[in-house]
Amino acid sequence: LKDGWLEGEGLAPDKSGLSWFVSAFDTSFPDDLPLPYVYPTLEGNIQAEWSLDGWELELEINLKARKGDFRACRVEGNKGEESFTIDFSGADGWENLAKELRRFSGGMQ
């Protein structure tokens, strides 16, 4: 993508940040978890989304800071919403993401 990719708006994701994400995701994301849908954001970052066990999960990853804002929203009955930040600069960030995905998917192994 280039700057202006969405009707003249939208920053292009940083190429080195994308390379980091692809490499880290490939080596750190567990094979037993469902893959997310991944989209660019207008701010030049990426967003990953999952629908798991009645939850809508979003992770907006700042490619330069290597941190992600995780949001979870219960689809049925508005019974819950959570948000927190995950630091992906080390391996424990990917482990924390996997733990949260398993928690929201009812303990999927």
Side-chain angles (χ1 to χ4, degrees), residues 25 29-37 49-52 101 105 108:
F25 188 89
F29 192 80
D31 292 335
D32 65 317
L33 290 173
L35 294 174
Y37 292 98
E49 299 178 353
W50 296 262
S51 294
L52 298 175
L101 292 174
S105 64
M108 175 189 300

Side-chain angles (χ1 to χ4, degrees), residues 10-106:
L11 298 175
D14 176 68
K15 288 181 183 178
S16 64
L18 282 176
S19 293
W20 159 78
F21 175 77
V22 168
S23 176
F25 188 89
D26 188 47
T27 59
S28 303
F29 192 80
D31 292 335
D32 65 317
L33 290 173
L35 294 174
Y37 292 98
V38 180
Y39 309 94
T41 68
L42 287 173
E43 297 80 19
N45 295 308
I46 56 174
Q47 181 165 313
E49 299 178 353
W50 296 262
S51 294
L52 298 175
D53 199 26
W55 289 90
E56 292 298 321
L57 310 174
E58 297 178 352
L59 177 67
E60 185 171 340
I61 300 173
N62 182 312
L63 295 171
K64 291 181 182 178
R66 297 184 180 181
K67 292 185 180 184
D69 292 325
F70 186 92
R71 290 178 295 281
C73 182
R74 185 81 177 155
V75 177
E76 296 177 17
N78 264 343
K79 293 184 180 178
E81 192 169 314
E82 294 185 36
S83 63
F84 47 87
T85 299
I86 300 175
D87 185 348
F88 289 99
S89 60
D92 59 333
W94 294 99
E95 292 170 10
N96 290 337
L97 175 61
K99 180 181 80 174
E100 293 300 330
L101 292 174
R102 287 187 177 100
R103 180 170 70 97
F104 285 104
S105 64

